[in-house]
């Protein structure tokens, strides 16, 4: 019996070392590549998505939400949005998105460029529409507009967890006639003095 026990003990020891080697190799792979196998969760319980899955989720914000008014894109319960110097909740962001659809019933958001890495997606977009309704404090002007902006999303567990948006609001207000056009630059040089010698 001591020989059998000793053999069993050796096999168990080898199996334990093999398992530790595999776990170490797996940990090194994850650390170097940032990639987890399908279905695996990180230490905080988050199931990571691929950059392509994250891009697909971001695309839905524009194609389904803003273009079609179907606001069922999944957001994290603790979502935080950033716009300029302010932050906003998911409910506030949805109210603003619906306000844009009210002000511009034919709103069309075109994705010009989309780049994804790890849990981040950056989108460069162009928005066009005709201001025939009211929303977000904008009265109906009947004017057509085109504006551009950039939004970055951070994804977590297949949901949008954070967003940063920067848009040309000043240009939009000018196109709507809600701000005066920029003043012409004053003439300089000899032309301002009445001619040349």
């Amino acid at each position: 019996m001591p020989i059998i026990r000793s053999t069993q003990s050796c096999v168990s020891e080898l199996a334990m070392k093999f398992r530790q080697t595999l776990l170490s190799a797996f940990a090194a792979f994850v650390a170097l590549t940032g990639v987890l196998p399908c279905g695996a969760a990180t230490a905080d319980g988050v199931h990571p998505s691929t950059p392509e899955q994250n891009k697909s989720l971001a695309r839905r914000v524009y194609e389904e939400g803003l273009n079609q008014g179907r606001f069922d894109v999944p957001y994290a319960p603790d979502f935080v949005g950033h716009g300029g110097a302010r932050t906003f909740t998911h409910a506030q962001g949805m109210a603003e998105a619906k306000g844009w659809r009210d002000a511009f019933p034919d709103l069309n958001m075109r994705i010009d460029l989309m780049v994804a890495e790890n849990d981040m997606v950056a989108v460069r977009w162009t928005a066009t529409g005709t201001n025939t309704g009211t929303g977000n404090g904008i009265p109906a002007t009947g004017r057509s507009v085109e504006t551009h902006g950039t939004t970055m999303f951070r994804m977590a567990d297949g949901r949008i967890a954070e967003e940063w948006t920067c848009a040309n609001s000043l240009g939009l207000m000018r196109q709507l006639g809600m701000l005066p056009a920029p003043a012409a630059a004053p003439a300089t040089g000899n032309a301002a003095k009445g001619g040349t010698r």
Side-chain angles (χ1 to χ4, degrees), residues 27-113:
F29 174 78
V30 169
L32 290 172
T33 65
V35 175
L36 286 173
C38 294
T42 60
D44 59 2
V46 171
H47 294 273
S49 302
T50 68
E52 286 306 313
Q53 290 170 324
N54 291 338
K55 284 167 70 174
S56 177
L57 183 57
R59 189 173 286 110
R60 290 180 60 194
V61 170
Y62 301 95
E63 292 176 358
E64 294 176 18
L66 291 164
N67 286 350
Q68 300 175 24
R70 294 186 359 230
F71 297 102
D72 56 358
V73 177
Y75 282 79
D78 57 349
F79 166 85
V80 177
H82 308 272
R86 68 181 184 93
T87 60
F88 55 90
T89 65
H90 177 249
Q92 291 166 328
M94 286 299 99
E96 185 173 335
K98 290 174 182 175
W100 290 122
R101 294 267 323 143
D102 290 342
F104 300 89
D106 64 344
L107 178 65
N108 181 52
M109 300 286 292
R110 183 183 74 230
I111 296 172
D112 300 320
L113 177 66

Side-chain angles (χ1 to χ4, degrees), residues 102-150:
D102 290 342
F104 300 89
D106 64 344
L107 178 65
N108 181 52
M109 300 286 292
R110 183 183 74 230
I111 296 172
D112 300 320
L113 177 66
M114 185 181 291
V115 179
E117 183 174 334
N118 297 325
D119 62 349
M120 301 293 292
V121 178
V123 180
R124 173 73 176 158
W125 49 262
T126 298
T128 58
T130 308
N131 177 219
T132 56
T134 60
N136 290 342
I138 298 172
T141 63
R143 294 185 179 201
S144 293
V145 299
E146 177 176 303
T147 190
H148 308 275
T150 302

